[in-house]
Amino acid sequence: MKITMAQALNQALAQEMARDERYVLLGEDVGPDGGVFRVTDGLIQKFGPERVIDTPLAESGLIGVSIGMAAFGLRPIAEIQFLGFIYPAFNQILSHVARLRNRTRGRYPVPMVIRTPYGAGVRALEHHSESTEALFCQLPGLTVVVPSTPYDAKGLLIASLRSEDPVIFLEPSRLYRGEKQDVPEEPYEVPLRAARTVREGTDVTVIGWGAMVPVMEKAADEAAGRGVSAEILDLRTLSPMDREAVLASVRKTGRAVVVHEAPKTCGLGAEISALISENALLSLRAPVARVTAPDITIPLPKAEDDYYVNPARVLAGILKTMEF
Amino acid sequence: MKITMAQALNQALAQEMARDERYVLLGEDVGPDGGVFRVTDGLIQKFGPERVIDTPLAESGLIGVSIGMAAFGLRPIAEIQFLGFIYPAFNQILSHVARLRNRTRGRYPVPMVIRTPYGAGVRALEHHSESTEALFCQLPGLTVVVPSTPYDAKGLLIASLRSEDPVIFLEPSRLYRGEKQDVPEEPYEVPLRAARTVREGTDVTVIGWGAMVPVMEKAADEAAGRGVSAEILDLRTLSPMDREAVLASVRKTGRAVVVHEAPKTCGLGAEISALISENALLSLRAPVARVTAPDITIPLPKAEDDYYVNPARVLAGILKTMEF
Amino acid sequence: MGLELTTKAPMLQILDEEGQVRPGAEPALAPAELRRIYEIMVLARTADAKALKLQRQGRMGTYASSLGHEACQIGTAFPLRPEDYFFPYFRDLGAYLTLGYPLADYYHYWMGNEAGLRTPDGLNLFALAIPVASQIPHAVGAALAAKLRKKTGAAVCTFGDGATSEGDFHEGLNFAGVFRTANVFVCYNNQWAISTPRSRQTASETIAQKAGAYGFPGVQVDGNDVLAVIASVREALDRARAGGGPTLIEAVTYRMGHHTTSDDATRYRTEEEVKAWEPRDPLRRLRIYLRSRGLSDEASEKGVLDAATNAVEKAVAEAESRPPATVDDLFAYTYKNMPPALAEQRTGLKEALKAEAGR
Amino acid sequence: MGLELTTKAPMLQILDEEGQVRPGAEPALAPAELRRIYEIMVLARTADAKALKLQRQGRMGTYASSLGHEACQIGTAFPLRPEDYFFPYFRDLGAYLTLGYPLADYYHYWMGNEAGLRTPDGLNLFALAIPVASQIPHAVGAALAAKLRKKTGAAVCTFGDGATSEGDFHEGLNFAGVFRTANVFVCYNNQWAISTPRSRQTASETIAQKAGAYGFPGVQVDGNDVLAVIASVREALDRARAGGGPTLIEAVTYRMGHHTTSDDATRYRTEEEVKAWEPRDPLRRLRIYLRSRGLSDEASEKGVLDAATNAVEKAVAEAESRPPATVDDLFAYTYKNMPPALAEQRTGLKEALKAEAGR
Ligand SMILES: Cc1ncc(C[n+]2csc(CCOP(=O)(O)OP(=O)(O)O)c2C)c(N)n1
Ligand SMILES: Cc1ncc(C[n+]2csc(CCOP(=O)(O)OP(=O)(O)O)c2C)c(N)n1
Ligand SMILES: [Mg+2]
Ligand SMILES: [Mg+2]
């Protein structure tokens, strides 16, 4: 059946919670409201208020409480309402979620999934369009996952829920109700730490994730019209990254364009660019290009389109790389 | 007179506070205790408890209160006791300190300096050896400064205090009582956003900051013994970075080694590497190398030396780059 | 054995739900002031309804309605003096209007333009905060700065009931207690934080009693009674200005609308509950009172409404006539002096937009 | 007009400062228990003194002394049952020992080895938290998990007076109130947070009264009276287990030593203040009481001290004989399954260390 990403995520949650009662969902407005994007819609009816828990408005408390639950027998799934509101919990995430396994030499790992909508393109208020994934990619111990299709969303979320490591699961709000896709009814895993080749190509590798994937696809279509064959790589797991997939593709094509919604400086694109230079410099026929937002705060809706990375800019990045 | 970095910082604070009574110092234990590293020693005696304020133990409150002070006429200097304890304030820093000028279209900028010791090498407890500077370098609106000598410490702190933009001022704890240096008695500025060429060289550019600078110098000495002439660049301001200095040097030498204490992935080294590839690929005779800590939590003191980037590792990075 | 708290002080009320003055509670406000308060309340309600309409028409972005909060918002802002400071949150239309913030600017902001949030010079009104509770320490900082600079201004900060669960509420109020700053914290307890009811937000019987944790007084006031809100804020301001330290005021009210235009409150609360609050409408109460005092009549009320409607239409027209942010605007306020790399990005973006426009 | 709080419940005490039982307060503890408590107190004090000595000799890292906190720490941990959970902070030696944590492990950790923080299987003792107050929500999560899993365990969490200023204290206690979790929060109010005195930490008269903000009881207890601490924790645990929700206990004590071995307390507090607390020493009080009950005498006391000294020496020897962390250890616990890039870094580090050792 063709369903949206929001529905696919909802299915993943419902199925895993039905399978294993250690899963407990908690967050602001995840209960009767079903989450502000309705990802948890209907779950409180299915699993009751003991397993779908509306919490007070306190992100550090929410993540901190989830840590205690994870250390002592449960598998919390914490929803942060928007990525822009995760920062009050940053200390809990950096100091504890990421590090407890190490600090306790494996005695108290805290398997948990922190889900949150992220990214721009939905004309939201300030702080609702953040794309600060790179903050989490630099924290050893965390796994950072971003789906770009309904199919991947379900499979990656199930894999994240089953992971023994804590996962930051970023859901591109722009794709929640984007293109529908046939998604198997039964549960399945899309493996973590494995990128997906969205489209094969020979001239240039275009690397991105989340809401940038459809943008990259459009750009690749246009590039094809100009005789450029672009290979598209969807990272899916941003950290730990599927380095081999990135390097194999770039070694093949000799060119790379990294695309992200986040501002340029110290975005994940920097890491990818550095990785490629370190490991495939001699294969490179052009510098690794970064097509990203500028280093400013994302503007309010009226200027959002000016700011947002679009197919034209990705195409320009591809062409510039081809012409180098 | 030869003084330590801690003394140089103390001098900068005392002189600027004497010059302009808008400066107010606040933080945990900055008063009679003089700060855990004694950087604020004697200031409460000089300026009284209204301008040197011991606060309750609450970092978000501390930075939030400083924001209100900065918006309404004062120039707060907030001390966070260790970089590892700044994360509770991360929301205030990211959402407000960095963005208020933009959000209010210039009406409420918040000029303030957030000072904090950082970095490893002092055999401290967990969380006291953090080197997460890259978290701040990706936030547009912030200036991130790190001194590596007593002279720079005084001049950079004075320049930071006079800046109209908020500054994250990271003080390498390992250097507080490191080598003494002749520091002019009178106030002076070392300009922000300008790197310093610590040593000229022709074969390879070694880029770093803070406590890595003396490590890089030792490595360069050894490299010289092997006939390799290393140019050493101390970034001083990590963000906004002195891109021109980095590129000019790398264009000259054709090789670059970036050195940082922080783990590798998504550290500032990634950004520097990406910048170089983007802008000087054709000058490069070898991949940009990163000599960094591994992607793990910094170990407790007993294993700290194993982890810590030392001259031998920097030298190995230099030689590998030379041999490419 | 426990230290149980007594929290049984009655909620302050001046006008009862029928608009009758409680015995001995006659407000200390001149007729012109009372009329002015009513005018702002009508303006706020009219402007709010218009914003909702504009949003449905696609002319306004996601919007947080102030319907039902007029007494809280206006009552909180009314007693301020020019030297005071105000730290609002995202649901504060009435306060903005009371303080003289141009409605066109307020609309401009909610239409999705940063420029609308630039407070006019001379007004100490901080930019509204969206991260819940994060503005509370700012207000404490402003008051502390005023104290250190020997200024007389007090700093008023507003927030919702949900905000009281955040660490910043606690840290801010604790600093205020320790430094005895001239702060007045006003919680608009509108019973809901999106879909989360007050009872799920905290187990304390009242929000006012939380002040006890910080060593200063807490007060509960009827947040639909503008005169009571004014009286309690005024008293707190007087105490603050006299060096008596901060106060927490819990203004008990109700969010009559959805949380924002993106929300559907029927998913989580009953129509009966909403209905039950209708008779407590703050405008109705003041209207009855003004009439009973002979300070208004049907004709004057119509005049007030017409004036509000005109002002609102003018503000919409003005906001909509403003140009959108230019690329220069987007980049100009990141740093005082733009770094060269950022200037290059600006040029790059301009060129990209030109190329895209040409396609 | 304000809701003023009454906080005048007296501080709970069983033994007065002279070790005399307060009338009617005879503790409900068997002689063997009383002796055991005394033994752990002596062990804790002996182990603490040894740690300070080792630090001066360069054999221990920065260390936070527990001197003076024995009654708080041991009194808090003593009433726990195996199914309960304990969330300590960095100053909790006595609690660790009471719960049966190997002293050699504790030393090993403070000597700078992660391995020392691996709790033995079967013990629900979470890793001590260094970021102040950050462990409080964890304890609430454990209690909430127990509740959802229909387990009987209660979760006890300790922290200092300084911790009460952090947002995590507030958020954690507020969650506990809302979910009525089986939590006991014990604040060791030792009057100082490094150089910051209690009076500067918060303007509330007591820390216990802060519980009122969360809708559950707060209790003040003499934190140098181990029997009183046990009684109050036991009562709170009983209530928690019976579904009565959380309790905040303020154990009033004094930090007799420097904050840590890196601190010099003479910079910010007077010798007289420290001296004034000496007669309230928790060990002395219990010792007098035990003698008065005929449960100990000089000889048995010497036996206890000798046993403690032996145990401490053994633990030191054991801790010092342990190998340092290998490179494999440093990398093994970042992820359940090591990513290839990390494995490469591990190999790289091993090679670097080999090369460096060879130089
Ligand atoms: C830190 C943070 N977390 C979450 C949100 C999302 N959010 C916006 S408003 C809101 C509820 C606020 O409730 P309350 O404080 O009672 O104010 P009200 O909306 O009722 O006026 C939430 C959860 C936010 N803006 N900031
Ligand atoms: C979040 C955080 N901020 C600052 C510190 C540095 N620090 C360590 S202990 C301490 C004081 C703690 O005081 P208190 O909570 O009273 O506990 P005590 O040391 O008195 O037992 C401080 C400020 C820290 N560890 N964590
Ligand atoms: Mg509310
Ligand atoms: Mg203390």
Side-chain angles (χ1 to χ4, degrees):
Chain A
M1 208 184 70
K2 282 199 188 301
I3 59 175
T4 63
M5 184 182 286
Q7 290 167 325
L9 293 164
N10 182 274
Q11 230 178 60
L13 293 170
Q15 291 176 346
E16 286 298 285
M17 291 182 72
R19 189 181 64 77
D20 185 339
E21 61 175 23
R22 290 174 307 159
Y23 290 112
V24 171
L25 213 143
L26 64 170
E28 296 156 14
D29 309 296
V30 297
D33 195 39
V36 293
F37 287 103
R38 307 283 176 260
V39 172
T40 59
D41 194 23
L43 298 179
I44 194 166
Q45 288 80 3
K46 276 203 187 86
F47 301 106
E50 297 226 314
R51 294 186 60 205
V52 180
I53 304 173
D54 271 336
T55 66
L57 210 178
E59 290 76 13
S60 186
L62 167 62
I63 300 302
V65 164
S66 300
I67 289 168
M69 296 171 111
F72 291 101
L74 293 181
R75 292 267 184 161
I77 312 167
E79 175 173 313
I80 296 283
Q81 205 157 68
F82 286 89
L83 181 57
F85 305 130
I86 204 171
Y87 312 119
F90 201 69
N91 185 43
Q92 288 290 347
I93 294 172
L94 182 152
S95 300
H96 295 305
V97 175
R99 298 184 182 182
L100 268 163
R101 177 187 291 278
N102 184 66
R103 177 176 311 134
T104 64
R105 284 296 182 254
R107 175 71 160 85
Y108 289 119
V110 284
M112 57 192 278
V113 175
I114 302 176
R115 292 180 40 245
T116 185
Y118 95 110
V122 293
R123 306 228 176 288
L125 295 171
E126 202 191 343
H127 309 284
H128 291 69
S129 306
E130 307 271 329
S131 189
T132 49
E133 62 275 15
L135 292 174
F136 303 95
C137 295
Q138 71 186 267
L139 306 183
L142 294 184
T143 299
V144 183
V145 176
V146 183
S148 71
T149 66
Y151 179 89
D152 276 9
K154 179 170 174 181
L156 287 170
L157 182 51
I158 290 180
S160 299
L161 291 168
R162 294 178 185 174
S163 166
E164 297 298 323
D165 292 311
V167 175
I168 310 285
F169 195 89
L170 303 174
E171 305 170 357
S173 9
R174 207 188 194 202
L175 301 184
Y176 272 138
R177 287 175 225 310
E179 215 171 317
K180 293 189 180 188
Q181 197 181 14
D182 262 322
V183 169
E185 177 59 36
E186 66 278 6
Y188 59 92
E189 288 187 47
V190 168
L192 302 183
R193 302 185 185 177
R196 171 172 74 101
T197 304
V198 178
R199 174 186 305 198
E200 304 215 355
T202 52
D203 297 330
V204 55
T205 304
V206 185
I207 304 159
W209 52 89
M212 287 293 106
V213 173
V215 171
M216 286 150 55
E217 291 188 76
K218 283 205 193 95
D221 289 344
E222 299 203 27
R226 303 187 185 209
V228 175
S229 161
E231 176 145 310
I232 300 183
L233 218 61
D234 173 3
L235 280 187
R236 297 203 291 204
T237 296
L238 311 193
S239 177
M241 198 190 291
D242 185 350
R243 199 181 48 161
E244 310 317 324
V246 170
L247 295 177
S249 176
V250 175
R251 286 196 184 108
K252 181 178 84 174
T253 63
R255 295 182 188 86
V257 176
V258 190
V259 180
H260 57 64
E261 274 190 55
K264 183 174 193 179
T265 296
C266 288
L268 188 58
E271 179 59 36
I272 299 171
S273 173
L275 260 185
I276 294 173
S277 307
E278 273 163 19
N279 296 287
L281 186 72
L282 296 184
S283 311
L284 279 183
R285 289 185 240 176
V288 179
R290 289 186 280 173
V291 178
T292 70
D295 289 321
I296 58 174
T297 302
I298 175 166
L300 293 183
K302 272 292 158 67
E304 191 177 341
D305 285 344
D306 290 352
Y307 168 95
Y308 200 73
V309 170
N310 58 26
R313 290 175 209 173
V314 175
L315 178 67
I318 292 173
L319 297 179
K320 210 182 117 198
T321 301
M322 292 307 299
E323 284 153 19
F324 181 80
Chain B
M1 208 182 70
K2 282 200 188 300
I3 58 176
T4 63
M5 184 183 286
Q7 290 167 326
L9 292 164
N10 183 274
Q11 231 179 59
L13 293 171
Q15 291 176 347
E16 286 298 284
M17 290 182 73
R19 190 180 62 78
D20 185 339
E21 62 175 23
R22 290 174 306 160
Y23 290 111
V24 171
L25 213 145
L26 63 171
E28 296 156 15
D29 310 296
V30 297
D33 194 41
V36 293
F37 286 104
R38 307 284 176 262
V39 172
T40 59
D41 194 22
L43 298 180
I44 193 166
Q45 288 80 0
K46 275 201 188 89
F47 301 106
E50 298 226 313
R51 294 186 61 203
V52 180
I53 304 172
D54 270 337
T55 66
L57 211 177
E59 290 75 14
S60 186
L62 167 62
I63 301 301
V65 165
S66 300
I67 289 168
M69 296 171 111
F72 291 101
L74 293 179
R75 293 268 183 160
I77 312 167
E79 176 173 313
I80 295 283
Q81 204 157 69
F82 287 89
L83 181 57
F85 306 131
I86 204 170
Y87 313 119
F90 202 67
N91 185 42
Q92 288 290 348
I93 294 172
L94 182 152
S95 300
H96 295 305
V97 175
R99 296 182 182 182
L100 267 163
R101 177 187 291 277
N102 183 66
R103 177 176 310 133
T104 64
R105 285 296 182 254
R107 175 71 161 86
Y108 289 119
V110 285
M112 57 192 279
V113 175
I114 302 176
R115 293 180 39 247
T116 186
Y118 94 112
V122 292
R123 307 227 176 287
L125 296 170
E126 200 191 344
H127 309 283
H128 291 69
S129 306
E130 307 270 328
S131 190
T132 49
E133 62 275 14
L135 293 174
F136 304 93
C137 295
Q138 71 186 268
L139 306 183
L142 294 184
T143 299
V144 183
V145 176
V146 183
S148 71
T149 66
Y151 179 89
D152 275 9
K154 178 169 174 182
L156 287 169
L157 182 51
I158 289 180
S160 298
L161 290 168
R162 294 179 185 173
S163 166
E164 297 298 323
D165 293 311
V167 175
I168 309 286
F169 195 90
L170 303 174
E171 304 170 359
S173 8
R174 204 186 197 207
L175 301 184
Y176 272 138
R177 285 173 229 308
E179 214 170 318
K180 293 189 181 188
Q181 197 182 17
D182 261 324
V183 170
E185 176 59 35
E186 66 279 5
Y188 58 92
E189 290 187 44
V190 168
L192 303 183
R193 302 185 184 177
R196 172 173 74 100
T197 305
V198 178
R199 174 186 304 198
E200 304 216 355
T202 52
D203 297 329
V204 55
T205 304
V206 185
I207 304 159
W209 52 90
M212 286 294 106
V213 173
V215 172
M216 287 150 57
E217 291 189 76
K218 283 203 195 96
D221 288 344
E222 299 203 29
R226 302 187 187 210
V228 175
S229 161
E231 176 145 309
I232 300 182
L233 217 60
D234 172 3
L235 279 187
R236 297 203 291 204
T237 297
L238 310 193
S239 177
M241 198 190 291
D242 186 350
R243 198 181 49 160
E244 308 317 323
V246 170
L247 295 177
S249 175
V250 175
R251 287 198 183 107
K252 182 179 83 174
T253 62
R255 295 181 188 87
V257 176
V258 190
V259 180
H260 58 64
E261 274 190 53
K264 184 174 193 179
T265 297
C266 288
L268 188 58
E271 178 60 34
I272 298 171
S273 173
L275 260 185
I276 294 173
S277 308
E278 273 163 17
N279 295 286
L281 186 72
L282 296 183
S283 311
L284 279 185
R285 291 185 237 177
V288 179
R290 289 186 280 173
V291 179
T292 71
D295 289 321
I296 59 174
T297 302
I298 175 165
L300 293 184
K302 272 291 158 66
E304 190 176 343
D305 285 343
D306 290 352
Y307 168 95
Y308 200 72
V309 171
N310 58 26
R313 289 175 209 174
V314 176
L315 178 67
I318 291 173
L319 296 179
K320 210 181 118 197
T321 301
M322 292 307 299
E323 284 153 21
F324 180 79
Chain C
M1 180 169 101
L3 299 170
E4 291 290 350
L5 303 171
T6 55
T7 55
K8 298 299 176 215
M11 180 163 85
L12 182 78
Q13 223 183 34
I14 288 180
L15 297 179
D16 68 16
E17 295 191 7
E18 292 313 315
Q20 306 300 315
V21 177
R22 293 208 162 248
E26 200 65 44
L29 290 162
E33 287 180 309
L34 290 166
R35 282 200 210 93
R36 171 96 194 102
I37 291 161
Y38 181 71
E39 283 164 17
I40 309 173
M41 286 177 85
V42 172
L43 178 62
R45 179 156 297 180
T46 311
D48 191 72
K50 183 71 185 185
L52 290 169
K53 202 163 155 191
L54 292 172
Q55 195 279 335
R56 281 193 300 272
Q57 296 169 344
R59 294 158 68 191
M60 171 83 62
T62 304
Y63 176 73
S65 165
S66 283
L67 184 65
H69 298 73
E70 296 85 358
C72 292
Q73 296 172 347
I74 294 160
T76 299
F78 192 81
L80 263 74
R81 298 189 194 146
E83 68 267 28
D84 294 329
Y85 309 86
F86 196 84
F87 289 78
Y89 79 116
F90 50 80
R91 196 187 309 284
D92 244 330
L93 170 60
Y96 268 88
L97 293 175
T98 308
L99 296 171
Y101 198 88
L103 177 57
D105 285 353
Y106 195 78
Y107 278 160
H108 195 53
Y109 169 70
W110 288 96
M111 286 171 178
N113 300 278
E114 281 82 356
L117 215 55
R118 192 196 150 95
T119 303
D121 292 342
L123 198 57
N124 290 331
L125 175 51
F126 207 56
L128 63 86
I130 287 184
V132 167
S134 63
Q135 74 278 17
I136 299 174
H138 306 168
V140 179
L144 188 52
K147 183 172 182 167
L148 300 178
R149 295 168 70 208
K150 315 267 183 286
K151 298 221 165 199
T152 51
V156 176
C157 183
T158 58
F159 45 86
D161 44 315
T164 65
S165 296
E166 287 279 2
D168 274 351
F169 166 84
H170 175 71
E171 298 191 11
L173 268 67
N174 191 50
F175 268 72
V178 166
F179 296 115
R180 273 180 88 82
T181 47
N183 277 116
V184 180
F185 303 104
V186 183
C187 176
Y188 304 161
N189 172 8
N190 65 6
Q191 314 305 328
W192 292 92
I194 308 187
S195 75
T196 308
R198 158 65 187 80
S199 58
R200 171 73 23 150
Q201 204 58 250
T202 179
S204 78
E205 203 177 333
T206 68
I207 284 172
Q209 81 192 57
K210 290 177 186 282
Y214 313 109
F216 55 79
V219 187
Q220 211 182 36
V221 62
D222 183 338
N224 283 10
D225 173 357
V226 69
L227 302 183
V229 176
I230 289 175
S232 63
V233 172
R234 191 161 269 169
E235 180 179 326
L237 276 171
D238 287 347
R239 181 166 51 239
R241 290 194 185 103
T247 305
L248 171 63
I249 296 172
E250 173 187 3
V252 180
T253 184
Y254 193 78
R255 196 192 77 208
M256 297 301 292
H258 303 290
H259 170 66
T260 66
T261 50
S262 306
D263 177 47
D264 172 10
T266 64
R267 292 177 68 91
Y268 51 78
R269 67 181 188 186
T270 63
E271 214 175 311
E272 295 80 72
E273 184 182 303
V274 184
K275 278 252 148 35
W277 279 83
E278 276 173 10
R280 302 181 207 165
D281 180 45
L283 259 78
R284 182 174 151 270
R285 268 200 229 179
L286 186 64
R287 195 182 307 123
I288 296 172
Y289 173 67
L290 289 186
R291 285 207 195 181
S292 76
R293 291 263 315 255
L295 295 174
S296 70
D297 56 22
E298 213 169 307
S300 75
E301 282 164 13
K302 183 166 179 315
V304 167
L305 184 61
D306 289 346
T309 309
N310 280 338
V312 166
E313 291 305 329
K314 249 188 70 188
V316 173
E318 189 183 332
E320 290 193 329
S321 73
R322 291 192 186 159
T326 64
V327 169
D328 284 329
D329 289 335
L330 301 185
F331 282 72
Y333 303 100
T334 301
Y335 293 97
K336 171 84 176 176
N337 302 308
M338 195 174 304
L342 195 56
E344 266 173 38
Q345 290 184 3
R346 181 180 56 177
T347 306
L349 183 56
K350 283 185 189 171
E351 282 166 7
L353 286 169
K354 211 181 293 171
E356 290 159 25
R359 283 155 36 109
Chain D
M1 181 169 97
L3 298 170
E4 291 291 349
L5 303 170
T6 55
T7 54
K8 298 298 177 220
M11 181 164 85
L12 181 79
Q13 225 183 32
I14 288 181
L15 297 180
D16 69 13
E17 296 190 8
E18 293 313 316
Q20 306 301 314
V21 178
R22 295 209 162 249
E26 200 65 44
L29 290 161
E33 287 180 311
L34 290 166
R35 281 202 211 92
R36 171 94 193 103
I37 293 162
Y38 181 72
E39 283 164 18
I40 309 174
M41 287 177 85
V42 172
L43 178 62
R45 179 156 298 180
T46 311
D48 191 73
K50 181 72 184 184
L52 289 170
K53 202 165 158 191
L54 292 172
Q55 195 280 333
R56 281 193 299 273
Q57 296 169 342
R59 294 159 68 192
M60 171 83 61
T62 303
Y63 176 73
S65 165
S66 283
L67 185 64
H69 298 74
E70 296 86 359
C72 293
Q73 296 172 347
I74 293 159
T76 299
F78 191 80
L80 263 72
R81 298 189 195 145
E83 67 268 27
D84 295 329
Y85 309 87
F86 197 83
F87 289 78
Y89 77 117
F90 49 81
R91 196 187 309 284
D92 244 329
L93 170 60
Y96 269 88
L97 294 175
T98 308
L99 296 172
Y101 198 88
L103 177 57
D105 286 352
Y106 196 79
Y107 278 159
H108 196 53
Y109 168 71
W110 288 96
M111 285 171 178
N113 300 278
E114 282 83 356
L117 215 55
R118 193 196 151 95
T119 302
D121 291 343
L123 198 56
N124 291 330
L125 175 51
F126 207 57
L128 63 87
I130 286 184
V132 168
S134 63
Q135 73 279 18
I136 299 175
H138 305 168
V140 179
L144 188 52
K147 183 171 182 168
L148 300 178
R149 296 168 71 207
K150 315 266 182 287
K151 299 222 163 198
T152 51
V156 176
C157 182
T158 59
F159 45 87
D161 44 314
T164 65
S165 296
E166 287 279 3
D168 273 352
F169 165 84
H170 175 71
E171 298 191 10
L173 268 68
N174 191 50
F175 268 72
V178 166
F179 296 114
R180 274 181 86 84
T181 46
N183 278 115
V184 181
F185 304 104
V186 183
C187 176
Y188 304 161
N189 172 8
N190 65 6
Q191 314 305 329
W192 292 93
I194 308 187
S195 75
T196 308
R198 158 65 186 80
S199 58
R200 173 58 45 136
Q201 204 59 249
T202 180
S204 79
E205 204 176 333
T206 68
I207 284 172
Q209 80 191 58
K210 290 178 186 282
Y214 312 109
F216 56 78
V219 188
Q220 211 181 37
V221 62
D222 183 338
N224 283 12
D225 174 356
V226 69
L227 303 184
V229 176
I230 290 175
S232 63
V233 172
R234 190 160 271 170
E235 179 179 327
L237 277 172
D238 287 346
R239 181 166 50 238
R241 291 194 184 102
T247 306
L248 171 64
I249 295 172
E250 173 186 1
V252 179
T253 184
Y254 193 79
R255 196 192 78 209
M256 297 301 291
H258 304 289
H259 170 66
T260 66
T261 51
S262 305
D263 177 48
D264 173 9
T266 64
R267 291 177 67 90
Y268 52 78
R269 67 181 188 187
T270 63
E271 213 175 311
E272 294 80 69
E273 185 182 303
V274 185
K275 278 253 148 36
W277 279 84
E278 275 173 11
R280 303 180 207 165
D281 179 46
L283 261 77
R284 182 174 151 272
R285 269 200 229 178
L286 186 64
R287 194 182 308 124
I288 297 173
Y289 172 69
L290 290 187
R291 287 208 194 179
S292 76
R293 291 261 316 255
L295 296 174
S296 70
D297 57 22
E298 213 167 308
S300 74
E301 283 164 15
K302 185 169 179 311
V304 168
L305 184 61
D306 289 347
T309 307
N310 281 338
V312 165
E313 291 305 329
K314 249 189 68 190
V316 172
E318 189 183 333
E320 291 192 329
S321 73
R322 291 193 185 158
T326 63
V327 169
D328 284 330
D329 289 335
L330 301 184
F331 282 72
Y333 304 99
T334 301
Y335 293 97
K336 171 86 177 174
N337 302 308
M338 196 174 305
L342 195 57
E344 267 173 39
Q345 291 183 4
R346 181 181 55 178
T347 307
L349 184 55
K350 284 185 187 169
E351 282 166 7
L353 285 169
K354 209 180 294 170
E356 290 158 24
R359 282 155 37 106

